[in-house]
Amino acid sequence: MAYQFNFAPVFANFGQLLAGAWITVLLSFGAMLLGTVVAVVCAVGKSAGPAPVRWLINAYIEIIRNTPFLIQIFFIFFALPAIGLRLSPNVAALVALTVNIGAYATEIIRAGIESIHKGQVEAGVALGLKRGQIFRYVIMKPALRTVYPALTSQFIYLMLTSSVVSVISATDLAAAGNNIQSKTFAAFEVYLVITGMYLLLSLAFSALFALVRRAAFDYPMSR
Amino acid sequence: MNVFKKAAAVAAALALLAGYGAPTARAQTPDEIKSRGTINIGMLVDFPPFGILDLEGKPDGYDADVAKLLAEDMGVEANLVPVTGPNRIPYLLSNQVDILVASLGITEERAKQVDFSQPYAGIEIFVVGDTGVEVKNADDLAGKSVGVARASTQDTAITGMAPKSTNIQRFDDDATAVQALLSGQVPLIGASNTVIAQIDQAAPGRFDKKFQLRQQSQGIATRPGATEMMAYVNDFLTRKKESGELNALYEKWIGAPLPDFVLKTTK
């Protein structure tokens, strides 16, 4: 192989890559938080809501989980303006990622909720806990603890999926890489560097998830 | 065969190569070409839709059709010779082809080496947008969003001339940039005349051209000093522009009418 590596154009534009990586972090982190809220609401609705609510949530989950993310983001960016809803590229990307992760996380969290034994809730009632307290401490916390590994690996996958959002001209890490590559033609070097950056981001998110697990869920099981 | 006969044969072969190897393409005047019965025309085959290879591997495209039209006009066979971007002018200057119909952009530097005809094709790029948006020049782009295909000529042009406060949104290709314009995500995009023709078809009257970013005329080229041939080519182009045949070919391949600056430049 006689390829001459030339990283100079990549490092000359490194500021653009850092700015793109920051957008990727914001988009991923925002979608994780908002998506978890969406998922908890939908999971409770699906487990305990009236029939029409359950049907709606089921439709949402099936549509999102059985269509490509690329099409979902095109729909939000290019089709919604037709009914008067115009979002800027980065906001559209955040909405698309939230809607997407929301559907996957709903099913994960619902599995956690259904793993809580009925007797545990009855024990909470017997102890005189209020409804909110039962929901928070007796149902949600152990449920989230059970599904935490599945949920966080879905979050990492979400961060990697966010590399697609450059198709609607959002300015994430992949878009910054594409811009530099199309100007300098240093495809090998650019994609090698952003591959490394995505890997670092994944590891950083994993480390953050481990810290959260220790802070929130590191209590002894009582069995 | 003795040594002398062998040497003589080699010498004869060398003489053929050196002096008479390619005499057929040396015709300088239309009369010489007509008496020979074929015209050797150099064209690109890697520049769609102007020059391509068809399914049988033969040159095709707008340039091929113009070349065939010229040969037909002279009453001779067209011999289409595939050339490449870097070697097309050397092919002409070394007499391997008679003329070039090779999407050769008319530039001052090239005009020092070859003679150019009046333009026979052209590409223009514009900023286009909603009819309601007031933009007359690059400075008016301040504070506005403009969509472009990443790393396209229009990206380079707009990035170079737009004020800092312009929000340039880079999409992966022309189709996505057009989609963003049609859906109202961006009020303006940079696009070539061929793309603008498609936009007008999709949404007649919604958008208009704001200002021109660049234009490029392509000419037919001959060797310097081939004045009779050049006069013939210019006369041919003027006649075919008037008859509408050139425009029809352009519509067939590019899907848009010949730009005005091509149609109206006759010499």
Side-chain angles (χ1 to χ4, degrees):
Chain A
M1 201 176 81
Y3 189 81
Q4 289 284 317
F5 285 99
N6 179 14
F7 284 96
V10 182
F11 292 111
N13 296 296
F14 203 66
Q16 283 183 48
L17 289 181
L18 286 181
W22 179 237
I23 295 289
T24 292
V25 169
L26 291 183
L27 284 177
S28 310
F29 199 68
M32 287 169 200
L33 289 182
L34 296 174
T36 305
V37 173
V38 170
V40 168
V41 171
C42 288
V44 171
K46 197 177 165 178
S47 306
V53 172
R54 291 205 305 273
W55 293 336
L56 271 179
I57 293 170
N58 270 332
Y60 160 62
I61 293 169
E62 293 309 320
I63 289 170
I64 295 302
R65 295 209 308 174
N66 293 294
T67 55
F69 178 66
L70 187 64
I71 306 303
Q72 293 165 13
I73 197 168
F74 274 145
F75 186 86
I76 286 171
F77 189 70
F78 289 121
L80 289 191
I83 55 166
L85 189 60
R86 186 165 305 150
L87 305 170
S88 77
N90 286 347
V91 174
L94 178 63
V95 171
L97 289 167
T98 300
V99 167
N100 187 269
I101 191 68
Y104 284 93
T106 296
E107 285 297 60
I108 294 173
I109 291 176
R110 185 182 62 89
I113 290 175
E114 286 180 3
S115 76
I116 306 295
H117 198 273
K118 212 178 156 193
Q120 200 164 314
V121 178
E122 287 165 357
V125 176
L127 283 172
L129 294 175
K130 292 182 191 127
R131 280 179 64 112
Q133 287 173 315
I134 292 176
F135 176 71
R136 189 170 160 194
Y137 297 108
V138 180
I139 301 176
M140 277 323 288
K141 202 166 176 178
L144 284 178
R145 172 181 159 136
T146 309
V147 297
Y148 193 71
L151 197 58
T152 51
S153 71
Q154 193 67 44
F155 283 166
I156 296 288
Y157 190 69
L158 165 83
M159 195 274 288
L160 300 178
T161 306
S162 77
S163 63
V164 172
V165 301
S166 67
V167 294
I168 58 161
S169 80
T171 53
D172 74 321
L173 177 56
N178 285 339
N179 282 343
I180 296 169
Q181 190 276 129
S182 62
K183 262 184 271 169
T184 63
F185 303 107
F188 202 112
E189 293 85 347
V190 169
Y191 290 127
L192 198 63
V193 168
I194 66 170
T195 300
M197 291 175 79
Y198 272 112
L199 182 63
L200 284 179
L201 286 178
S202 291
L203 295 175
F205 269 113
S206 296
L208 177 70
F209 296 148
L211 281 178
V212 171
R213 188 189 60 78
R214 244 197 238 172
F217 302 121
D218 206 11
Y219 53 86
M221 296 285 262
S222 58
R223 274 176 208 170
Chain B
M1 197 193 258
N2 66 39
V3 179
F4 289 105
K5 272 190 181 166
K6 217 179 206 173
V10 170
L14 282 176
L16 262 176
L17 278 177
Y20 308 99
T24 47
R26 202 170 260 182
Q28 284 283 64
T29 67
D31 287 341
E32 284 171 29
I33 289 169
K34 280 176 189 166
S35 69
R36 195 180 60 198
T38 58
I39 179 167
N40 300 306
I41 302 175
M43 61 168 283
L44 298 177
V45 292
D46 58 355
F47 191 55
F50 293 94
I52 53 171
L53 289 174
D54 67 11
L55 292 175
E56 291 163 14
K58 287 181 191 149
D60 205 355
Y62 176 72
D63 286 355
D65 278 358
V66 172
K68 285 176 197 158
L69 195 65
L70 175 66
E72 189 189 301
D73 194 66
M74 297 178 81
V76 297
E77 284 283 301
N79 176 30
L80 300 180
V81 181
V83 296
T84 65
N87 77 16
R88 53 195 164 174
I89 290 178
Y91 254 71
L92 179 69
L93 297 180
S94 63
N95 297 321
Q96 299 185 59
V97 294
D98 299 312
I99 62 168
L100 288 176
V101 186
S103 294
L104 196 60
I106 303 175
T107 64
E108 271 181 46
E109 285 111 40
R110 285 172 182 160
K112 289 174 191 156
Q113 294 182 289
V114 300
D115 283 355
F116 276 111
S117 70
Q118 55 174 280
Y120 76 100
I123 296 170
E124 281 176 292
I125 53 173
F126 292 93
V127 169
V128 288
D130 287 316
T131 47
V133 180
E134 191 79 8
V135 172
K136 290 200 176 69
N137 53 46
D139 292 336
D140 291 345
L141 295 175
K144 299 198 167 66
S145 293
V146 191
V148 290
R150 207 187 296 283
S152 59
T153 324
Q154 48 272 30
D155 184 1
T156 322
I158 293 174
T159 305
M161 63 206 286
K164 273 227 161 82
S165 63
T166 307
N167 176 26
I168 302 173
Q169 288 181 221
R170 294 184 179 82
F171 296 92
D172 283 351
D173 48 29
D174 273 327
T176 324
V178 169
Q179 195 57 254
L181 179 72
L182 292 176
S183 66
Q185 281 290 359
V186 289
L188 302 158
I189 63 167
S192 67
N193 47 340
T194 59
V195 170
I196 292 169
Q198 293 166 359
I199 295 174
D200 282 339
Q201 271 185 347
R206 254 180 76 192
F207 306 102
D208 60 0
K209 294 173 187 165
K210 301 301 181 188
F211 64 96
Q212 193 184 56
L213 289 165
R214 266 178 211 172
Q215 72 174 45
Q216 172 75 65
S217 303
Q218 283 120 278
I220 296 177
T222 65
R223 281 181 286 279
T227 44
E228 282 179 54
M229 188 63 209
M230 184 47 77
Y232 187 93
V233 169
N234 274 325
D235 176 58
F236 158 79
L237 287 175
T238 306
R239 280 186 283 116
K240 296 302 178 188
K241 282 179 188 176
E242 276 169 14
S243 73
E245 282 171 87
L246 203 64
N247 193 48
L249 290 180
Y250 199 82
E251 292 252 10
K252 170 185 163 191
W253 286 102
I254 287 85
L258 266 177
D260 271 352
F261 67 90
V262 174
L263 209 53
K264 289 187 177 141
T265 311
T266 50
K267 65 176 179 186

